[in-house]
Amino acid sequence: MKFKTIESRDGQPNATSSRSTRFLGLCLALGVPILVLFAFVFSPKDDTMDDAVRLLYVHVPVAIFSYIAFGVTAMGSIFYLWKQSRWWDTTAHASAEIGVIFCGLTLVTGSIWGRPTWNTWWEWGDVRLVTTLVMFLMFIGYLALRQVPATPHVRAKRAAIVGIVGTINIPIVNRSVEWWENSTLHQQSSLTDGNLEDLTLFTWFLGTLIFALAYVWLMIHRFRVGWLSSEHDALGYGAAIEERKAEAGIDTEAQAQASEDGGPQ
Amino acid sequence: MEFRDAWAIASKDLRIELRSRILTNQIAPYTLLILVLFGFALDADTQTLRDTGPGLFWVAVLLIALLAIQRAVKIEDDDAAKERMLLTPVHSSSVFLGKAIALFIQLFVLEILLFFVMLALFDLSVEDPLLICVSAVLATIGVASSGTLYGVIAAGVGVRETLLPILLLPVLAPIAIGATRTFGDAFGRVDADGWAWFGLLSVFAVVYTVLGMLAYGQLMEDA
Amino acid sequence: MEFRDAWAIASKDLRIELRSRILTNQIAPYTLLILVLFGFALDADTQTLRDTGPGLFWVAVLLIALLAIQRAVKIEDDDAAKERMLLTPVHSSSVFLGKAIALFIQLFVLEILLFFVMLALFDLSVEDPLLICVSAVLATIGVASSGTLYGVIAAGVGVRETLLPILLLPVLAPIAIGATRTFGDAFGRVDADGWAWFGLLSVFAVVYTVLGMLAYGQLMEDA
Amino acid sequence: MNDVIDLQEAVVTLGQFPALTGVTLKVSQGEIVTVCGPNGAGKSTLLRLCAGLLPLREGSAHILGEDLQKNRRIIRQDVGLLGHRSGLYDDLTVEENVAFWGQMVRAESNEINEAIKLLGLDGRLRKVLVRQLSAGQRRRTSLAGLVVQRPLLWLLDEPHAALDSDGRDLVDGLIHEAAASGATIVLASHAPKDISSPSGRFVTLAGGRVTNDINNDGSGDGVS
Amino acid sequence: MNDVIDLQEAVVTLGQFPALTGVTLKVSQGEIVTVCGPNGAGKSTLLRLCAGLLPLREGSAHILGEDLQKNRRIIRQDVGLLGHRSGLYDDLTVEENVAFWGQMVRAESNEINEAIKLLGLDGRLRKVLVRQLSAGQRRRTSLAGLVVQRPLLWLLDEPHAALDSDGRDLVDGLIHEAAASGATIVLASHAPKDISSPSGRFVTLAGGRVTNDINNDGSGDGVS
Ligand code: HEM
Ligand SMILES: Nc1ncnc2c1ncn2[C@@H]1O[C@H](COP(=O)(O)OP(=O)(O)OP(=O)(O)O)[C@@H](O)[C@H]1O
Ligand SMILES: Nc1ncnc2c1ncn2[C@@H]1O[C@H](COP(=O)(O)OP(=O)(O)OP(=O)(O)O)[C@@H](O)[C@H]1O
Ligand SMILES: [Mg+2]
Ligand SMILES: [Mg+2]
């Protein structure tokens, strides 16, 4: 497979960007200041949470996109087991890495948010917090597994199973606040209740859009890095074969001699 | 899949365990130690201990399960027996089932033992024995199945000892949490709906067993 | 005993660990996991957690130490390297020291990491940084020395995985308790005399190191 | 002609390393083929490929008529491999080990008994833990498991290693007997003299490919 | 005469089992002794006893003039053993392994380099992890560690196992060179022809004791 990437003169890609990803990046670069503007200036304070509500515009989108990222990992894993194609494996890996970053951001922004609102950084008894952390750790394990030396296929297969099992967590994290109403401080789904003000709602949507862009942009780049690095691994293949074949050089002559003599009896 | 094969594999694993007397001489005391350690680390009064009893019980079960799973993987890894198994007509789901059954039996025996120790130490009284029994069985099925599955994922990589816990603990944690809540309810100490949690445990048990039987072959394939 | 030998052995162990990236990829997340598990099992409010913070820290260190010791023993056991070491002029106390140093470095790096995680999670503030530092160093020396010593006792017996924790935990428990109390004092949460407990830790560290250097040869001798 | 092994330019990589760099080899039913070559030539890798234990990177491989590119699993029960490692459980006795592996390949209990006797593991050794065996006894136990399997394709990686002269004769006997009954045998060996087969064929591997293929009757078709 | 090995009715038990039931054997300096015998005869046990790795149950054993009953530790640095297992670290490269074991026996770094070259581990293999080596390459690495040690007494348990013919010649060369420079060599082997030593002496073990002791010049003093 070949990407439309920016190539240097010798035909090797010297970046993972292409014209379209640069456009995407540009949108992102413009979008972030707009989001900041809306989040900090235009949108109103909350009655109960005061200025802290502004974390909503980061916290919730990154949480949602960590779900999506892990979902993509699971999908990539399933397709890998089915088609055994490197494309799906690379997708799964790339998405898991981004998912871990987003999930980490969810935890961090949540903690920061928790400090003023709940008066604590962390609450062990809270199911959503802990299930989120478990999901985070599970995919850390996934990434650890990907570092283990093994043949690419074996590693991909093992990682695929772990990736699939990991997504069992998504519904648990998502539903946790309803299943365990009395063991959480965490917000129930406030969006579906429709009690957000217009501008807040708009800013929230804007935030989601920006993080969607961020996910796609990161994903494309990370995928390309993964793809190129596996290609790089294969780069020396021809040379390695030749070198290995050459090991036989000296012996071949000796054996040819032996065969003239009638071979070992 | 043939159940006869699964049973042959399970009894082989159990025989190896019995021969090395791991269960009685090593894991059982280890379990006790863990409880004592916790007691010390917490330094809590009886009331707290009573509340945390079920939690400690399941944390102890998890740590024991880790040990038992490590053993189960090691047995197959040590002298390439895993590879040899591939050159037999035995179906991989039988292998999975066999190893999971052996693990289940070992864990269950230990849990019974641990249970009575816990009753005595923490001075708890059982309000719903049925719930205790069925939830323990299902949680243990979940642990044994996911443990067997993850055991083969970590097998043969040289860094098995450390990789396995990381992969496995987040998988086992939800099971332990569920079981803790059911136990809490069954002991009448927590105001949780034990049977709802029990449902969660059943889901885990079924999912991991089915997943294991399907995926085990894929995973065993390559060393 | 030559320190050069000890250092060669320690750096060999560390190189093996670095190569397999165990520390960063595996043990560190495992540590986090343990904390999560405990948090859940205890289901306690922040106040309790804050009080039990030091205890949890040391229980986590113990469990990590177990993993690290298992690895350290396995490295020597796998292909009879232990035996080969006997056929060199290297003094057994150098071997002991080398392996203990490698273990110490690994554990200490992890403790630093874990420490900051604990500070953040449990919202603790340090009142006596010096006490924290010196007691952590001494407790770790104790753990590394006794771990190395017991590692060789469990080596080569086939049931190592399960035997080691059992042998080791009762030895490590007093160290963990001592360190918990010193930390508790240093955090200003427990009304204990930290420096007195610190004395206990020093005694353990010295005793196990001396004992290890003396006894290691005896223990290595027979496989 | 019935080709039990048919490899065409088979390439196998272990990690990044091409252990086999294009092996072309045909073995027909009933043949006894000895694979020789220097250390690291790829002998073990070749046998493991034929057992379906390694993925093929390039080329094609048909074993017992099945395409390994499509499905490596399907042939496995008809293939027996004696590798460098023996695939035994250290904590079971000799008898228990042979019985277990016998059960796994659906052997009868009298077959199991016979195999134990055949390999000289009867008497005291029966009840000895495999952990406590000497190197040669261990090898014999592993072989006993193979004998009860009676595979169609025997892949033997240095079958004479660690065996005494009795054991070597025994293995030679087993090989000839198996070949006579229609099985195919491929063995890796460093000392080709060890096996004195009249119909023997010697394939030399070097640098991961076949450099020489000689039939004992002199009709060598050396491949440079 | 300088007896490097002097065993008198040496009995060694492994667990409950008497692996050596009374071995009497004298080997003088510079000799090359081949120990043969069927599987399980006690060859490996004998070598391990001579290395001071096993306790003596009965009888007496003097190695390099030291009494093993008194102190098994003292001789160890002058003894080199190549056992069935190779004593290498899987996660280190060939070079790192040889260098480590070289360091342990106080070898110079040029000696280490020479040993690596001598055993044909130069070039690509230097940087390969031992885990990834073939059986023969592993054996060669283990031997390289022994070569840098240059012990006074070499105990080689089937030194030819897993080696190709080059490797065998190499080992034979090493053995003769060592013997010429005053070291003593005891090797266990199943195929005594392998080592073609003019001054060779063959000791046959069976049932844990010496049943035959032949010098190549024909002056056998068979012990029934
Ligand atoms: C470390 C602490 C926290 C973690 C791990 C966390 C985690 C999450 C996750 C995973 C979601 C996505 C839920 C879903 O849509 O399925 C979420 C959503 C949300 N979080 Fe948090 N959170 C934390 C703290 C907080 C705090 C302190 C607040 C505010 C008081 C908060 C408010 C919200 C809100 C309003 C949503 C959107 C809910 C919805 O629409 O479903 N979170 N959080
Ligand atoms: N991951 C790897 N990286 C580099 N080289 C590797 C790797 N894995 C295997 N090799 C090399 O591949 C070759 C494997 O050869 P194989 O084990 O098939 O040899 P063999 O012919 O059986 O040798 P022997 O006679 O020593 O048993 C060896 O040269 C080994 O060094
Ligand atoms: N714990 C034990 N119980 C019973 N028998 C044992 C025990 N340990 C060792 N043995 C026996 O002791 C003998 C050990 O022999 P050793 O390993 O020295 O043989 P060897 O001559 O090297 O054989 P090989 O040629 O197969 O390597 C074997 O017969 C083995 O079965
Ligand atoms: Mg080989
Ligand atoms: Mg032997």
Side-chain angles (χ1 to χ4, degrees), chain A residues 26-46:
Chain A
L26 197 70
C27 293
L28 204 55
L30 290 177
V32 171
I34 296 176
L35 176 63
V36 170
L37 219 56
F38 270 93
F40 284 99
V41 184
F42 300 144
S43 69
K45 285 184 190 178
D46 192 76

Side-chain angles (χ1 to χ4, degrees), chain A residues 138 154 157-158 161 165 180, chain B residues 150 153 155 157 171 197 218 222:
Chain A
M138 206 173 233
V154 171
K157 256 189 196 170
R158 294 181 176 193
I161 304 284
V165 172
W180 298 287
Chain B
Y150 273 65
I153 287 177
V157 292
V171 176
W197 285 98
Q218 289 277 336
D222 325 81

Side-chain angles (χ1 to χ4, degrees), chain D residues 25-47:
Chain D
L25 180 70
K26 280 193 185 203
V27 178
S28 42
Q29 202 204 321
E31 255 191 303
I32 301 177
V33 178
T34 307
V35 180
C36 352
N39 288 138
K43 302 180 294 297
S44 302
T45 313
L46 178 63
L47 296 192

Side-chain angles (χ1 to χ4, degrees), chain D residues 191-207:
Chain D
K193 305 147 241 165
D194 280 357
I195 170 134
S196 48
S197 137
S199 66
R201 181 176 152 203
F202 292 88
V203 173
T204 309
L205 279 189

Side-chain angles (χ1 to χ4, degrees), chain A residues 49 52 56 59-60 63-64 66-67 103 106-118 120-123 126 128-133 135 170 173-175 177-178 185-192 204:
Chain A
M49 285 189 274
L56 175 79
H59 177 71
V60 183
I64 288 173
S66 71
Y67 290 166
C103 194
T106 311
L107 288 164
V108 170
T109 52
S111 286
I112 295 171
W113 202 355
R115 187 65 198 160
T117 38
W118 302 335
T120 171
W121 295 102
W122 187 259
E123 184 53 53
D126 189 301
R128 171 157 279 170
L129 272 53
V130 176
T131 49
T132 310
L133 188 57
M135 182 165 80
I170 296 178
V173 178
N174 180 252
R175 300 279 94 199
V177 278
E178 272 122 75
L185 294 169
H186 196 276
Q187 220 77 3
Q188 298 243 1
S189 198
S190 41
L191 295 171
T192 41
W204 183 82

